[in-house]
Amino acid sequence: MIQDYLFPTSVEEALKILVKDPEKSKVIGGGTSFYIDGKELAKDISYFIDLGQIKELGEIYEEDGFIVMGANTTLTQCSKNPLIKENYPALVKASANLGSTQIRNMATVVGNIVNGKPFSDLATVLMALDAVFTIEDQDGSRETKVKDMYHKLGISALKATELVTKIKIPKRVQGEGSAFQRLEIREGLSFPVINVAAKLVVDKNIIKDAVVTASPLAPGPKVIEAIGEFLIGKEATDDNFVEAGLLATKSIKFHTSPLNCGAIAGVTCKFENCHYCLNPVPSTAQYRHEVLPVLVKRCLSLALEEIND
């Protein structure tokens, strides 16, 4: 039963509240994911801890070669901030096209990752950009990457007594570009069929670094390592981007939802890595594998365009 809705004004205060009863407390950023998933969860929650009044978590700034976003940064703020726009075109696109205007005005970048959903648009981009999450509890702080934010399907690796306080992303270097592509059935509130993000670093048309990520893949997005291994040292050409896309299909495995997935009926699914649970959008693994090379090639080409502009 819900007993209180609390508004701490500092991280320290939030952590003190959280540690009193972590298993029955729910941290709220924008709260949009909880509004969707929270009807059943609310039965076991005694305290809501709303971070909205913590001023320091709403800041975006440059520090020591990183652009830092506080945990309260909304999708709208992310998509419109000058520092983000200057450094990360892929992140701007992903945050500007997720959900409706109302959702973007409330939902936070951090919340899109810590809810544990494997089809997160922003996690896919932040993984490509090598983002670092700062996590705090009463014993101190630690840093981790996107891949370590996922424990298992639908469950964050964040401990019950911990808070994500900020995200740090390395500043864009000379010759760097990024891009994001999202295939969806319809615009607006739909979940993605597939997400692809790319980061390229090019010098005199020779690729110095290449990172391509994709989702939904349990438990979270994944780097397609074979693409970087293939592209680094080669020329940034359409032919090489096409070949990179073909390599992607050999490197990762999507899933098709069983027709009798339990989640459709509102009960626990018995299938490991069931694709309906991974992403409740009707689509087959075959279709995702067929469109993957197209999106990879498109992302790499768009990232190159960013570099050449």
Side-chain angles (χ1 to χ4, degrees):
M1 176 182 287
I2 299 171
Q3 297 181 30
D4 211 344
Y5 196 108
L6 304 167
F7 294 90
T9 56
S10 69
V11 172
E12 292 75 15
E13 184 184 356
L15 290 172
K16 285 179 181 178
I17 296 170
L18 185 59
V19 77
K20 289 179 180 178
D21 197 353
E23 300 301 329
K24 292 191 175 182
S25 298
K26 175 67 178 177
V27 176
I28 298 291
T32 53
S33 295
F34 186 76
Y35 298 149
I36 296 171
D37 302 331
K39 186 175 180 180
E40 290 299 317
L41 294 174
K43 295 177 181 178
D44 300 320
I45 293 173
S46 299
Y47 304 99
F48 286 100
I49 305 171
D50 194 315
L51 305 181
Q53 302 299 313
I54 304 178
K55 185 178 179 180
E56 66 191 85
L57 299 186
E59 299 173 345
I60 301 175
Y61 54 94
E62 182 179 341
E63 182 180 74
D64 299 330
F66 291 86
I67 304 301
V68 182
M69 290 189 294
N72 283 343
T73 301
T74 67
L75 305 187
T76 297
Q77 291 167 337
C78 180
S79 66
K80 294 184 177 181
N81 181 271
L83 286 172
I84 303 298
K85 292 172 74 173
E86 179 183 350
N87 283 275
Y88 319 115
L91 186 56
V92 170
K93 180 170 182 179
S95 56
N97 290 280
L98 196 156
S100 65
T101 301
Q102 293 90 337
I103 287 175
R104 291 192 294 272
N105 287 342
M106 293 182 63
T108 63
V109 176
V110 166
N112 192 250
I113 288 89
V114 298
N115 65 23
K117 298 294 190 294
F119 48 81
S120 166
D121 300 38
L122 301 182
T124 308
V125 174
L126 290 170
M127 179 176 280
L129 296 174
D130 200 28
V132 178
F133 290 72
T134 299
I135 298 170
E136 297 189 32
D137 63 14
Q138 287 202 303
D139 295 323
S141 65
R142 63 184 178 93
E143 293 186 338
T144 192
K145 299 291 186 72
V146 173
K147 67 181 180 67
D148 297 316
M149 291 296 293
Y150 292 85
H151 173 55
K152 58 183 180 179
L153 183 61
I155 300 176
S156 168
L158 203 64
K159 297 175 183 176
T161 55
E162 292 180 324
L163 295 175
V164 176
T165 55
K166 59 188 174 183
I167 303 173
K168 303 192 304 183
I169 314 173
K171 283 188 64 179
R172 185 177 185 175
V173 300
Q174 182 69 32
E176 179 181 319
S178 63
F180 172 72
Q181 291 287 289
R182 182 185 208 258
L183 180 63
E184 57 192 354
I185 294 176
R186 62 181 177 85
E187 294 182 357
L189 306 180
S190 63
F191 295 114
V193 174
I194 181 174
N195 288 323
V196 176
K199 182 186 77 172
L200 273 182
V201 179
V202 176
D203 182 27
K204 298 178 181 178
N205 207 43
I206 300 299
I207 299 170
K208 300 298 182 181
D209 193 19
V211 182
V212 176
T213 56
S215 65
L217 294 158
K222 292 185 179 178
V223 175
I224 308 175
E225 302 283 358
I227 291 179
E229 294 169 1
F230 169 74
L231 285 178
I232 292 174
K234 291 185 170 62
E235 292 187 353
T237 64
D238 278 351
D239 286 345
N240 282 333
F241 292 165
V242 168
E243 183 64 27
L246 296 175
L247 281 172
T249 62
K250 302 174 184 179
S251 304
I252 59 176
K253 182 180 179 181
F254 292 108
H255 298 269
T256 299
S257 172
L259 293 178
N260 56 341
C261 165
I264 297 174
V267 298
T268 302
C269 181
K270 65 181 180 180
F271 296 98
E272 182 179 1
N273 293 342
C274 167
H275 195 72
Y276 184 88
C277 297
L278 279 170
N279 183 3
V281 174
S283 185
T284 65
Q286 179 182 354
Y287 177 70
R288 288 181 168 90
H289 277 104
E290 287 177 356
V291 299
L292 177 63
V294 177
L295 296 183
V296 168
K297 194 268 181 185
R298 191 177 295 170
C299 261
L300 290 168
S301 298
L302 289 170
L304 184 61
E305 286 180 18
E306 287 289 340
I307 296 169
N308 293 332
D309 280 351

